[in-house]
Amino acid sequence: MDGRDLVRSMKTVGSVGVAQGLRTVRAAWRRRRADAAELPSRGAERARVPGPMREVEPGPGGGVVRFGRSELRILVAVNGAVFWGWDGAGPEPSYALAGRCPEPDPRAVLEPDKDGGWRVVAERATVAVSRHGAVEVRTPGGVVLRRELPPRWWEPVDGGRARWTQRSEVAADARFFGLGGRSAGPRLRDGTYRLWNTGPGLPFAAAEEGASVTMPVQLVVADAGTHLVFHDSTWDGTVALREGEEGAGSGHDRPGRSVLRMDGGPLRCWVTVGTPARVLLTWASLTGAPALPPAWALGHQHARWGCGDEQDLRRVVAGHQERDLPLDAVHLGLGHADAERVFTVDEERFPKLPVLAEELRREGVRLVSAVEPAVAPGTAVYDGGTRGDVFVRDATGAVVRGVGRPGEVVFPDFTHAGAREWWGGLHEERLGRGFSGVWHDLDAPTSFAAFGEPTLPRSARHALEGRGGDHREAHNVYALCMARAGYEGLRALTPDERPFVLARSGWAGLQRYGGAWSGDVATGWPGLRASLAQVLGLGLCGVPYAGPDIGGSGGTSSPELRLRWLQLAAYLPMLRTSSGTRAGRREPWEFGAEVLEHARVALVERRRLLPYFVTLAHLARRTGAPYVRPLWWQAPEDRALRDCEDAFLLGDCLLVAPVLGAGADRRAVRLPRGRWYDVATERAYEGPAQVLVDTSLARIPVFARAGAVVPVRGEDGAPELEVWAPARGRTGGGLVVPDAGDGWVEPEIERYVSRWEGRRVVVEREGEDGLSEPSCPVRVRGLGERPAQM
């Protein structure tokens, strides 16, 4: 046990009770002993580099380049993505890929390059390999986007797994994004970021390094172009980033640097190049289309932490209804279970839950159940899992026992197909209780009682789809596989409805099964900033459906902070408020009449925009584009936008500028090129520009792009098109995907164009037979507005 383990364990003794704390300390010692016995010391190591180039072997989509001490395989896929793998590593098997590796591009060939190197030329990128193993990714025009220096391995002299380091260089003007849901983002400053999913612990703020969803995915934006790089290893590691520095025209630019250090796994990499939209489309084609959430999951959801009962649940729902606050779902935290056992309900506190759930469903409110992977011995679930041999074992064959909320627990091995099928079938009980979806907690896996300390030793054995391995390789994908089990189980049990799965942790490909929530964001203004950074970062890594717990975890949020957080979340993919024993009474009416009135405005506006969110969800599924995008999304060459982190685009139509500090009554907003309307005043501004706007407690600044066609709910609840007048002499438009319910029907995308015709704005639908009238009423805004003088 190292010092940090001991400190965390001793904190537990003082915070969750002596008995539970002592269990945690003993479990930590057991993990330490198991790892010491089963994970031999590395001992002396030998460094290795590729060595000089020896020969090349052309093949489909690229070929193999052999060096003195290694070999490099290069493949350009038909979707434009580029793969390379060292030491014989191929694209499969991979937890990130949605299926088989895409077919190679027959047009891409391996050919000689300058200075004795070789290259593969493809439509969107050229991959060049030097004589000593450096790999360059170039634009079709020959500009270098990324240079991977020859890798280095450290191999135990007595044999065993190798750890490796990959150093990379990017342009001096480049900016780094991604690495999962990072609270310090969305732009990743100089520093070291760990690639190891952490569980709940002390709430984190913007400066802290831990993350519950980590991915070795970098999105790099520079003047020359945008590229995404993914090093496909699930092992523990770090990424050290340092932004470059331009030489002010002297020619002495310092490139940006990335140093990736991994404790094991294959050294293999995928790269996609193009516009941000093209990069994310290609990434989605590799890792899978985002799951489409049911329409109700795009509305207002409320999480109830702690051990309430049916009366408390009714009170929360009635409180929203009595105050005209839209509510679409209530999440019951882990405390609703019987004696804190998985897939149960406390019958004393919830004696008629199925009846209550049906009543709430008729009122438009769904129930979501929190589920954790820990299984307590002596329960029906444990007995079924034992018969199916689904639990994680150690190297001796014994089932690994850890510490969870109920005390001693065991964990299913979700990297085994049989365990996933068994776990998925258990969701029949959740559906029978009236739940409409599941919310995964403690899925790293960790114990909340142990302040985020891991509950499985690194030496624990996992199936890893039949390959076999230990927890060092399985840890980061454990929650991903649990999400898959939940998603596939719900889909099999309710084939006519879209599953709802919300995970705390995950890895590349999580979007195939659902979305992510922030975990324990600190209560405070830094936590508010961190929650926005997480959502933006996850979207740029391919997980578009995400959101925070409004107000943070623990502590007391001021009425102003609570309101500003809600106003921000009203424009994020997932809007979830929270209250309960951990969070205290946090319903909007607990913060005074003024906050209640402004909160109602934010929630009503979210409901009005539901058709737009439905459209964004369908477009994300088809294109991989996130709902929430950085300001540079459509203009990555604009350096001012690349450095802007306090505002974002919601789809193509809206720009949202949240208030992220206390006491602000005005704030500066940077607008991209084009005309933008303040949606509250309909005042027009011409970008690119920085404008100063009012930010009273009543609202946060939101702008609409001129010409935008936004689907909304009209006053009667029916669909309506809100059209913002295009600038004179220009046209606009938008895409609309009608809501087809919560099934699997793929509605047709409706394309609209807006233009001036004389003194009026005309809106028409484009189709195969030409232009036609819109399918719903149209309301034009921004008429007659001249751009404000700056």
Side-chain angles (χ1 to χ4, degrees):
M1 175 183 290
D2 62 23
R4 287 185 298 179
D5 286 341
L6 181 60
V7 169
R8 282 195 295 263
S9 299
M10 295 312 296
K11 283 182 178 179
T12 300
V13 172
S15 61
V16 300
V18 174
Q20 185 77 324
L22 291 177
R23 289 193 195 101
T24 302
V25 173
R26 286 197 297 267
W29 279 111
R30 286 200 303 269
R31 287 195 300 274
R32 180 67 174 176
R33 288 199 304 270
D35 288 346
E38 304 301 335
L39 299 178
S41 173
R42 296 191 62 88
E45 294 181 317
R46 180 187 299 111
R48 172 170 64 89
V49 295
M53 185 182 295
R54 298 297 189 193
E55 61 179 351
V56 298
E57 179 183 332
V64 176
V65 182
R66 295 187 176 89
F67 297 84
R69 304 179 191 89
S70 186
E71 69 176 35
L72 174 67
R73 177 187 176 189
I74 304 175
L75 168 72
V76 177
V78 290
N79 62 2
V82 177
F83 170 85
W84 65 76
W86 287 94
D87 284 354
E92 302 173 29
S94 171
Y95 278 104
L97 298 186
R100 300 300 302 272
C101 173
E103 293 295 319
D105 186 348
R107 300 169 298 175
V109 295
L110 188 63
E111 62 185 31
D113 195 25
K114 60 185 179 180
D115 299 327
W118 288 75
R119 67 184 181 186
V120 179
V121 180
E123 180 182 1
R124 300 191 193 103
T126 296
V127 182
V129 184
S130 76
R131 290 180 297 136
H132 294 280
V135 180
E136 286 186 352
V137 180
R138 305 170 184 164
T139 68
V143 178
V144 177
L145 293 176
R146 187 180 192 91
R147 186 168 190 265
E148 305 261 322
L149 302 177
R152 178 169 293 185
W153 296 265
W154 281 268
E155 300 168 330
V157 172
D158 297 330
R161 64 180 177 86
R163 57 189 180 93
W164 51 266
T165 295
Q166 177 65 74
R167 292 176 169 84
S168 311
E169 294 179 349
V170 296
D173 65 279
R175 297 289 182 262
F176 296 101
F177 301 86
L179 298 183
R182 297 288 172 170
S183 60
R187 173 184 163 193
L188 299 175
R189 299 310 205 277
D190 295 0
T192 300
Y193 302 85
R194 191 179 180 191
L195 297 170
W196 186 258
N197 290 347
T198 59
L202 298 178
F204 58 83
E208 297 182 70
E209 182 271 337
S212 57
V213 184
T214 66
M215 303 181 199
V217 179
Q218 295 178 29
L219 189 73
V220 184
V221 184
D223 288 354
T226 300
H227 72 274
L228 179 148
V229 59
F230 167 55
H231 289 91
D232 191 355
S233 172
T234 66
W235 288 67
D236 193 0
T238 61
V239 180
L241 300 177
R242 188 184 73 179
E243 291 183 348
E245 185 175 329
E246 294 182 293
S250 67
H252 299 289
D253 293 351
R254 188 192 73 190
R257 297 186 183 276
S258 167
V259 181
L260 174 63
R261 294 181 171 90
M262 300 297 290
D263 285 349
L267 203 176
R268 56 185 180 178
C269 178
W270 284 96
V271 174
T272 67
V273 176
T275 64
R278 169 62 67 179
V279 165
L280 267 294
L281 175 63
T282 306
W283 179 238
S285 73
L286 284 173
T287 60
L292 192 65
W296 57 263
L298 296 170
H300 173 211
Q301 304 175 66
H302 183 77
R304 287 289 301 136
W305 293 95
C307 303
D309 55 18
E310 285 191 8
Q311 290 303 113
D312 183 60
L313 179 56
R314 290 182 183 276
R315 179 194 67 80
V316 170
V317 175
H320 283 82
Q321 294 172 338
E322 292 167 0
R323 296 167 177 85
D324 295 324
L325 299 173
L327 180 65
D328 297 275
V330 176
H331 296 214
L332 298 185
L334 293 172
H336 75 280
D338 176 20
E340 298 180 335
R341 297 173 182 174
V342 68
F343 290 112
T344 60
V345 167
D346 188 327
E347 299 286 354
E348 291 186 3
R349 292 185 290 119
F350 297 93
K352 299 180 180 179
L353 187 58
V355 176
L356 174 57
E358 182 58 31
E359 292 177 4
L360 295 179
R361 184 183 287 239
R362 288 196 297 266
E363 297 175 5
V365 179
R366 305 294 186 113
L367 290 184
V368 174
S369 172
V371 176
E372 62 178 320
V375 177
T379 62
V381 174
Y382 173 82
D383 293 340
T386 301
R387 288 192 297 271
D389 190 20
V390 302
F391 297 121
V392 175
R393 295 180 177 272
D394 62 21
T396 68
V399 173
V400 176
R401 294 179 179 254
V403 175
R405 295 178 312 110
E408 190 174 64
V409 293
V410 297
F411 294 88
D413 181 6
F414 292 116
T415 69
H416 190 289
R420 290 195 297 268
E421 183 178 2
W422 165 77
W423 185 266
L426 296 176
H427 288 74
E428 184 174 10
E429 185 275 341
R430 296 290 86 182
L431 297 173
R433 298 281 189 175
F435 291 107
S436 297
V438 292
W439 151 34
H440 290 174
D441 200 357
L442 310 181
D443 54 353
T446 50
S447 167
F448 184 79
F451 279 91
E453 191 173 328
T455 56
L456 290 173
R458 294 188 173 220
S459 58
R461 305 298 298 174
H462 291 267
L464 290 168
E465 316 309 323
R467 294 181 288 110
D470 58 44
H471 196 64
R472 294 173 297 177
E473 184 177 359
H475 175 83
N476 280 336
V477 295
Y478 187 90
L480 172 73
C481 294
M482 181 180 176
R484 177 181 178 181
Y487 178 86
E488 292 178 347
L490 289 172
R491 182 162 186 178
L493 292 167
T494 56
D496 296 330
E497 296 183 14
R498 300 197 293 267
F500 177 77
V501 177
L502 188 66
R504 175 195 282 267
S505 294
W507 201 65
L510 175 63
Q511 74 278 358
R512 299 192 296 265
Y513 313 118
W517 63 287
S518 63
D520 299 321
V521 182
T523 298
W525 294 99
L528 172 58
R529 282 183 169 270
S531 64
L532 173 58
Q534 282 186 307
V535 174
L536 283 165
L538 285 169
L540 294 176
C541 290
V543 183
Y545 183 77
D549 274 345
I550 296 170
S553 175
T556 302
S557 57
S558 68
E560 180 190 10
L561 172 61
R562 182 72 174 185
L563 176 61
R564 293 306 195 189
W565 215 317
L566 175 60
Q567 289 170 332
L568 162 63
Y571 297 95
L572 297 181
M574 188 188 74
L575 166 59
R576 189 170 92 158
T577 52
S578 63
S579 63
T581 54
R582 284 183 60 205
R585 293 295 187 193
R586 288 186 174 183
E587 288 82 14
W589 53 89
E590 302 290 345
F591 291 86
E594 184 181 18
V595 169
L596 174 61
E597 180 58 33
H598 299 325
R600 182 184 298 112
V601 171
L603 292 176
V604 169
E605 178 64 7
R606 173 59 174 244
R607 175 153 290 185
R608 192 181 76 91
L609 288 174
L610 273 181
Y612 186 48
F613 277 94
V614 168
T615 292
L616 295 178
H618 278 277
L619 294 179
R621 179 170 179 78
R622 301 186 193 197
T623 69
Y627 310 19
V628 169
R629 309 162 187 178
L631 290 191
W632 48 259
W633 177 259
Q634 293 180 330
E637 70 283 354
D638 188 328
R639 296 189 178 189
L641 296 181
R642 289 210 297 261
D643 294 339
C644 183
E645 301 178 274
D646 62 355
F648 60 89
L649 299 174
L650 180 59
D652 289 333
C653 298
L654 300 180
L655 186 155
V656 182
V659 175
L660 303 176
D665 55 7
R666 305 195 81 190
R667 66 151 290 175
V669 180
R670 185 167 295 280
L671 300 175
R673 185 175 302 278
R675 180 172 296 181
W676 296 86
Y677 295 96
D678 185 321
V679 299
T681 65
E682 299 195 18
R683 185 180 183 183
Y685 299 89
E686 200 70 33
Q690 181 167 286
V691 301
L692 195 62
V693 294
D694 292 335
T695 57
S696 67
L697 275 179
R699 73 180 190 107
I700 59 174
V702 178
F703 297 83
R705 191 189 301 273
V709 177
V710 184
V712 298
R713 285 169 55 113
E715 293 184 0
D716 59 355
E720 179 180 285
L721 297 182
E722 183 173 85
V723 179
W724 291 88
R728 293 280 184 174
R730 303 179 192 172
T731 61
L735 303 177
V736 176
V737 182
D739 184 3
D742 290 338
W744 297 99
V745 174
E746 291 281 356
E748 179 184 355
I749 296 179
E750 299 177 358
R751 302 175 183 273
Y752 289 93
V753 60
S754 61
R755 58 184 174 83
W756 282 96
E757 189 175 274
R759 302 184 63 180
R760 68 189 186 98
V761 173
V762 174
V763 181
E764 295 174 306
R765 180 178 174 181
E766 293 181 326
E768 295 180 358
D769 299 328
L771 300 176
S772 61
E773 292 292 322
S775 60
C776 57
V778 174
R779 184 164 64 100
V780 179
R781 300 183 64 183
L783 290 172
E785 279 294 322
R786 293 177 176 270
Q789 297 298 317
M790 303 305 298

